[in-house]
Amino acid sequence: MADAGLAESVLERLEKLDCGVDSQDVASVLSVDHQAIVGAVKSLQSLGELISAEQRSSKHWELTAEGKEIVEQGSHEARVFNAIPTEGLSQTDLMKLPSGKVGFSKAMSNKWIRLDKGHESGPRVFRMVESIEDTVQDKLVQVQKGLTGKLDEKEKNELKKRKLLSEVTVKSYWLTKGPSFSTTVTKQETDLTAEMIASGTWRDKKFKPYNFEALGVPPECGHLHPLMKVRTQFRQIFLEMGFTEMPTNNFIESSFWNFDSLFQPQQHPARDQHDTFFLSDPAVAKDFPMDYLERVKKVHSEGGYGSQGYKYDWKLEEAQKNLLRTHTTAVSARMLYKLAQQGKFTPVKYFSIDRVFRNETLDATHLAEFHQIEGVVADYGLTLGDLMGVLHQFFTKLGLKKWVEVGNSGVFRPEMLLPMGIPEGVSVIAWGLSLERPTMIKYGINNIRELVGHKVNLQMVYDSPICRLDS
Amino acid sequence: MPTVSVKRDLLFQALGKKYKNVEIKRADEEFDELCFEFGLELDEITSEKDIISREQGDVRAAGASDVVLYKIDVPANRYDLLCLEGLVRGLQVFKQKIEAPYYRRVGATDGKPQRFIITQETAVLRPHAVAAVLRNITFTQERYDSFIELQEKLHQNICRKRSLVAIGTHDLDTISGPFTYTAKAPDDICFKPLNQKEESTATELMRLYKNDSHLRHYLHIIEDEPHYPIIYDSNGVVLSMPPIINGDHSKISLKTKNVFIECTATDLTKAKIVLDMMVTMFSEYCAKPFTVEEVEVVCPDGSTCLYPDLAYRKELISGDTINQKVGIKESAESLARLLTRMCLKAEVTGKADEIEVEIPPTRSDVIHACDIMEDAAMAYGFNNIARTKPKTYTIANQLPLNKLSELLRLELAAAGFTEALTFALCSQEDIADKLGKKISDSRAVHISNPKTAEFQVARTTLLPGLLKTLAANRKLPLPLKLFEISDVVLKDDTTDVGARNNRRLCAVFYNKIPGFEVIHGLLDRVMQLLDVKPSRDQGYYIQAASDSIFFPGRCAEIISHGKSVGCLGVLHPDVINRFELTMPCSALDLDIEPFL
């Protein structure tokens, strides 16, 4: 705490007054610097409602350094006058005096002195009057005494122009007694200590109030990435809905599983170099399940399973091409094929959330890689109504009303399922969406580069709230 | 999804709608709803002027038309909806204003069809061709524009930028059959191409079109071939040099009465579809609407075929199957009516709930009964289908590797490290040069067609991504403590694709001091979490190692149960510099798959 004695003096001063007092006046009465009073006021404020202090600002006039000199030594013109003896003084000598230049011209215009240019020993200055009245000094003395009011505006401005006075703005406090006014100040403790608890002295002490306006000290901690936080919630939703996670830890896929097995024709635009990243090393895949591959080839090129097929020349070389998977549906295809191989069909619900890759033109919402969320249900007798129902449940859990905008859904074609060996009568419904899009909506991010990749601002990661999708 | 733009006034006129200006907003809304019901999306209401103004600025747009355009998104395989004619026909049938027309191939009036002869020379290039004649057609400016526009739309979509199929249309009255489709050396081909004044050889043309903003995209299809495809009439007049350009001689105009359409192709099925689309859409304007005059195509082996195909196919499907797949309960009669509205003329056969569905040549997208069901569902209205919960009962399982990753992520954050999320693709430099390694020594998979260096390889380590994240965040207060648990990709002969993912944990500590003890402490914590004890034979230990990534003497290998599972150390100053960092940094790189 600042000088406790001073604080008490302020309180004593305040006790004598009924209305209130300006901190400036307190300073001048107590003859201390105003800043010291301000310090005392602040420390009194921190003690509760001892006093109330309302900040105000006032303008007042103050002497400049030159003005103060004049109060002590007289104005320049007076000093010049006093320096001249009755026999006069040579102009050259007069000009050598500290106040010479300014004082000479002022004293001349006041007609206190005269200049004899034709004097035998060179130009010489003589007094013109017997005595003078130094009004400049008198006015400045008034100001110093705090009696500025005795000067009119014109006088003040003239002195200001001569740089003897300056107008300053002073911040001060209007002090009045507070609800719990008292003239004694007890020293307050900053905080509770182990010693006080042990000795029980805390009972007799007053504690300095906390500033609840300030923020606390941030904890030292690590942070999870917002996109991963959203991924965790999506996993949670799928798990709550009874979906099993697919092994999507295979970024490299063959065109066969990525496209052909899904009944996507080999001339499809998505299989273009402009859309898909193909590999030069390892360039081709091997070890395809050959009987299944033959069935795929047939359904593409000739049809079958009730389909007309695409009727084109299906090429193994196209199917062998390795690529960075363009969707996680490649994994769904592998899983459904595996399911069909297990002998007796059992219904399944699968999901995955993992990276996919597109050789696309990049912009504010598109990157070459993003996370795809995918849900798949395979069972006998599933309907379009079931697809819409499960989508509705899923997006309700997300708290997203306009889900049409962010995702795709559908029923897998028989030309995809039947060659795998999935029994007829089994329908497979599926839907997919990107993880980035809903995350950007959730966290209000417009540019995907501010969310993923090495260029993100970690401060964003530090500051991002937890993810509760349904709220 | 292709977008079709049609003039609103023309569309409404064709749909038989009249509206006053005050009702125009309501009319827009009504059309939007109709589109939705029909499986289309009214993407935008705009004008040529708006489009130019948006793309090139107001100055350029000054003189452009401000006729209102509807931009409509059409499903990728609905080629029958790519022009105003098809769109209107589809919508009118859907609204039961008209019945779907029956498209017929008819013989030539004199009984002798035009002949189109394919020679053996085309076999290696574009072996297939089909053709047809639109007789006594009446063009107006709008019809003509639409005719040209449809060719362009087909070229861009089903024709795969002319590589699969290329369409040529000609004024039949300027040429005389039989026509010959052959292939010749470029220097031996000489003709006046469309809208040019001079004759040129094919070699010169290819050079000329190198700078043509439109045609240059198609040159690659034949450019490097010793012979180019070419079509002549019986007098040696060039009809076209597919898939690049038509001849000027036979070009069609508003006055053209008889149109000869040829399609050359590498895929015969698609050529037939494209020709069917052209003639079904525009035979509406022939003297005998919806009839198309046949052309006899003679193959190199002497066999002949009549085109256009215009094949109708019949499918039998039970009402119950549709109801069951869609999740509705409609009578067979009602389902037949719904399908008929989708241009799939359907009738109940009387045998149980069997429905006979006729698939017209315009609906090449219908290749399986499931497509019929989808159309029934659409006509029924997707929003009218009751949402149901699948009864599928299953127990959920997490993928063990992902479960482990999730648990570790939380613990690493609790240990004071912040999660980074970096790209799986990067440059060769990132995983090799910058780490003081040779790319040839890495097990990286290489991308053959990256658009930029950022996508040359899949990462083989998570470290570069974390270091780049540090570099982008140098202004943040130190120390920076980052981690990532994610996959890298390594070549592996034992898998079918020759590569596999590997789940890694990587962490970095970046500060004024190297902080090896911090990163070492993190390793100890991770091992504690994985319940692996510090031990020479029953647990883990670290031993001195050397690696170009790390400062000599400040690198250790992590051995767990006798196997190397990663490394840690203080980064080499060269590595720090190459990643544009300035402070010491220590790092941990751990394979977590052995701990599953």
Side-chain angles (χ1 to χ4, degrees), chain B residues 493-561:
Chain B
D493 283 341
T494 63
T495 69
D496 60 345
V497 295
R500 66 174 169 88
N501 283 20
N502 178 214
R503 186 74 41 98
R504 295 277 181 84
L505 181 163
C506 189
V508 291
F509 178 80
Y510 183 67
N511 200 7
K512 288 175 185 138
I513 46 143
F516 180 82
E517 66 288 357
V518 176
I519 220 76
H520 188 189
L522 183 69
L523 170 69
D524 295 335
R525 174 68 185 142
V526 168
M527 288 302 182
Q528 189 175 48
L529 292 164
L530 292 170
D531 200 17
V532 180
K533 306 267 183 305
S535 152
R536 281 258 149 195
D537 18 277
Q538 295 298 311
Y540 79 99
Y541 63 94
I542 65 172
Q543 67 183 21
S546 83
D547 187 308
S548 59
I549 297 174
F550 298 103
F551 200 41
R554 299 279 185 276
C555 168
E557 192 178 12
I558 307 159
I559 313 288
S560 171
H561 295 97

Side-chain angles (χ1 to χ4, degrees), chain A residues 256 292-303 312-316:
Chain A
F256 179 76
Y292 169 52
L293 180 136
E294 283 303 322
R295 293 195 293 271
V296 169
K297 174 181 177 171
K298 192 162 179 233
V299 77
H300 277 245
S301 53
E302 296 169 33
Y312 70 97
D313 186 12
W314 188 90
K315 294 192 175 77
L316 177 63

Side-chain angles (χ1 to χ4, degrees), chain B residues 346-509:
Chain B
E347 280 166 357
V348 293
T349 62
K351 272 187 250 158
D353 63 345
E354 192 179 62
I355 305 169
E356 186 183 70
V357 186
E358 186 179 56
I359 293 114
T362 44
R363 294 300 307 273
S364 60
D365 58 301
V366 178
I367 59 174
H368 191 279
C370 70
D371 299 309
I372 297 172
M373 287 170 224
E374 192 188 334
D375 267 27
M378 194 185 295
Y380 183 82
F382 285 118
N383 287 348
N384 299 327
I385 301 170
R387 291 170 183 163
T388 45
K389 275 184 220 164
K391 292 173 187 65
T392 313
Y393 176 81
T394 50
I395 301 290
N397 284 306
Q398 302 185 48
L399 187 72
L401 183 61
N402 289 0
K403 184 175 181 176
L404 175 65
S405 301
E406 284 286 294
L407 292 171
L408 282 177
R409 282 175 59 238
L410 294 173
E411 294 288 355
L412 282 169
F417 282 71
T418 292
E419 186 173 35
L421 179 65
T422 67
F423 297 127
L425 305 184
C426 60
S427 66
Q428 292 188 10
E429 202 188 13
D430 284 341
I431 54 162
D433 311 47
K434 283 184 176 179
L435 300 178
K437 293 179 187 298
K438 277 197 209 140
I439 189 73
S440 52
D441 294 342
S442 79
R443 291 167 66 194
V445 302
H446 291 255
I447 293 164
S448 65
N449 58 333
K451 281 181 185 144
T452 70
E454 290 167 88
F455 313 121
Q456 288 174 326
V457 290
R459 64 184 173 198
T460 52
T461 154
L462 301 177
L463 185 62
L466 290 185
L467 295 181
K468 289 196 281 186
T469 308
L470 287 177
N473 285 281
R474 280 178 308 193
K475 61 184 185 304
L476 289 183
L478 294 174
L480 285 169
K481 298 196 268 185
L482 301 181
F483 81 94
E484 185 170 13
I485 299 180
S486 191
D487 284 349
V488 302
V489 181
L490 304 171
K491 276 201 278 190
D492 183 346
D493 283 341
T494 63
T495 69
D496 60 345
V497 295
R500 66 174 169 88
N501 283 20
N502 178 214
R503 186 74 41 98
R504 295 277 181 84
L505 181 163
C506 189
V508 291
F509 178 80

Side-chain angles (χ1 to χ4, degrees), chain B residues 55-241:
Chain B
E55 287 168 1
Q56 304 170 27
D58 289 339
V59 185
R60 291 268 188 127
S65 154
D66 50 11
V67 170
V68 178
L69 294 178
Y70 278 167
K71 293 206 143 199
I72 302 165
D73 280 345
V74 173
N77 52 4
R78 288 298 299 270
Y79 313 116
D80 59 319
L81 303 176
L82 288 177
C83 62
L84 177 78
E85 287 74 13
L87 203 58
V88 168
R89 217 175 288 162
L91 289 170
Q92 292 290 71
V93 172
F94 181 66
K95 289 167 66 188
Q96 293 168 287
K97 293 271 173 67
I98 60 166
E99 271 187 37
Y102 192 85
Y103 307 99
R104 260 182 331 129
R105 183 175 72 206
V106 296
T109 34
D110 59 0
K112 290 181 197 157
Q114 292 289 342
R115 298 181 77 220
F116 192 88
I117 301 156
I118 307 174
T119 73
Q120 187 56 44
E121 286 79 5
T122 61
V124 289
L125 277 168
R126 297 173 83 74
H128 308 292
V130 293
V133 173
L134 290 174
R135 215 28 107 172
N136 293 316
I137 195 166
T138 308
F139 278 127
T140 63
Q141 188 64 51
E142 276 91 18
R143 293 173 182 182
Y144 179 85
D145 291 347
S146 180
F147 186 71
I148 302 296
E149 181 65 22
L150 177 63
Q151 287 179 58
E152 183 54 23
K153 280 274 184 292
L154 291 170
H155 274 153
Q156 292 311 313
N157 292 286
I158 181 175
C159 304
R160 299 285 293 120
K161 296 181 178 137
R162 300 192 188 179
S163 63
L164 300 182
V165 186
I167 313 161
T169 54
H170 311 277
D171 187 335
L172 183 59
D173 299 322
T174 65
I175 45 179
S176 65
F179 306 100
T180 308
Y181 170 43
T182 183
K184 280 189 164 184
D187 284 328
D188 297 338
I189 297 172
C190 188
F191 68 106
K192 189 164 86 174
L194 196 61
N195 302 330
Q196 295 286 331
K197 296 204 170 59
E198 304 289 329
E199 286 200 349
S200 317
T201 67
T203 313
E204 288 164 344
L205 282 180
M206 295 299 268
R207 211 174 300 133
L208 176 70
Y209 293 142
K210 272 268 184 287
N211 300 316
D212 187 296
S213 64
H214 180 57
L215 295 178
R216 65 190 164 96
H217 301 293
Y218 310 119
L219 303 182
H220 72 96
I221 303 172
I222 56 167
E223 205 170 23
D224 299 328
E225 301 292 339
H227 294 98
Y228 290 177
I230 186 91
I231 303 171
Y232 293 103
D233 83 346
S234 61
N235 299 319
V237 173
V238 169
L239 272 67
S240 64
M241 183 175 84

Side-chain angles (χ1 to χ4, degrees), chain A residues 223 267 281 311 349 359 386, chain B residues 160 269 388 394 451 491:
Chain A
H223 311 80
Q267 312 87 345
D281 180 25
K311 300 197 175 80
K349 291 194 290 205
N359 196 7
D386 287 335
Chain B
R160 299 285 293 120
T269 311
T388 45
T394 50
K451 281 181 185 144
K491 276 201 278 190

Side-chain angles (χ1 to χ4, degrees), chain A residues 221-225 227-229 231-232 235 239 242-254 257 263 267-269 272-274 276-282 284-287 305-312 322 324 334 347-349 351 354-355 357 359-362 367-369 371 377-379 381-386 388-390 392-393 403 413-415 425-427 429 451-459 461-462, chain B residues 160 164 267 269-270 313 315 323-327 365-371 373-374 377 382-383 385-399 401-403 405-406 409-410 412-425 444-451 454-455 458-459 465 468-469 472-473 475-477 479-484 486-489 491-501 503 593:
Chain A
C221 61
H223 311 80
L224 295 173
H225 192 282
L227 190 82
M228 294 293 108
K229 292 197 245 195
R231 190 183 73 167
T232 302
R235 281 185 91 237
L239 293 170
F243 283 64
T244 284
E245 195 169 27
M246 292 188 275
T248 45
N249 52 333
N250 60 324
F251 295 165
I252 310 302
E253 194 48 277
S254 63
W257 287 107
F263 196 52
Q267 312 87 345
H268 195 277
D272 199 287
Q273 297 275 330
H274 296 296
T276 298
F277 287 114
F278 289 94
L279 294 196
S280 56
D281 180 25
V284 292
K286 53 184 194 305
D287 301 336
Y305 308 99
S307 176
Q308 300 295 306
Y310 294 120
K311 300 197 175 80
Y312 70 97
N322 272 336
L324 278 151
R334 282 182 185 264
V348 294
K349 291 194 290 205
F351 84 95
D354 212 335
R355 294 183 197 236
F357 305 84
N359 196 7
E360 298 188 302
T361 313
L362 312 179
L367 288 172
E369 56 188 275
H371 291 73
V377 185
D379 199 354
L382 292 174
T383 67
L384 275 180
D386 287 335
M388 290 163 63
V390 78
H392 180 72
Q393 285 184 314
W403 49 270
R413 294 188 68 92
E415 294 99 322
V426 168
S427 288
I429 58 180
L451 178 67
V452 265
H454 56 264
K455 284 183 183 150
V456 299
N457 186 351
L458 287 173
Q459 195 65 49
V461 178
Y462 294 167
Chain B
R160 299 285 293 120
L164 300 182
D267 181 320
T269 311
K270 291 214 161 38
R313 187 176 91 243
E315 295 253 5
N323 280 328
Q324 221 245 310
K325 293 278 178 187
V326 179
D365 58 301
V366 178
I367 59 174
H368 191 279
C370 70
D371 299 309
M373 287 170 224
E374 192 188 334
F382 285 118
N383 287 348
I385 301 170
R387 291 170 183 163
T388 45
K389 275 184 220 164
K391 292 173 187 65
T392 313
Y393 176 81
T394 50
I395 301 290
N397 284 306
Q398 302 185 48
L399 187 72
L401 183 61
N402 289 0
K403 184 175 181 176
S405 301
E406 284 286 294
R409 282 175 59 238
L410 294 173
L412 282 169
F417 282 71
T418 292
E419 186 173 35
L421 179 65
T422 67
F423 297 127
L425 305 184
V445 302
H446 291 255
I447 293 164
S448 65
N449 58 333
K451 281 181 185 144
E454 290 167 88
F455 313 121
R459 64 184 173 198
K468 289 196 281 186
T469 308
N473 285 281
K475 61 184 185 304
L476 289 183
L480 285 169
K481 298 196 268 185
L482 301 181
F483 81 94
E484 185 170 13
S486 191
D487 284 349
V488 302
V489 181
K491 276 201 278 190
D492 183 346
D493 283 341
T494 63
T495 69
D496 60 345
V497 295
R500 66 174 169 88
N501 283 20
R503 186 74 41 98
E593 289 181 18

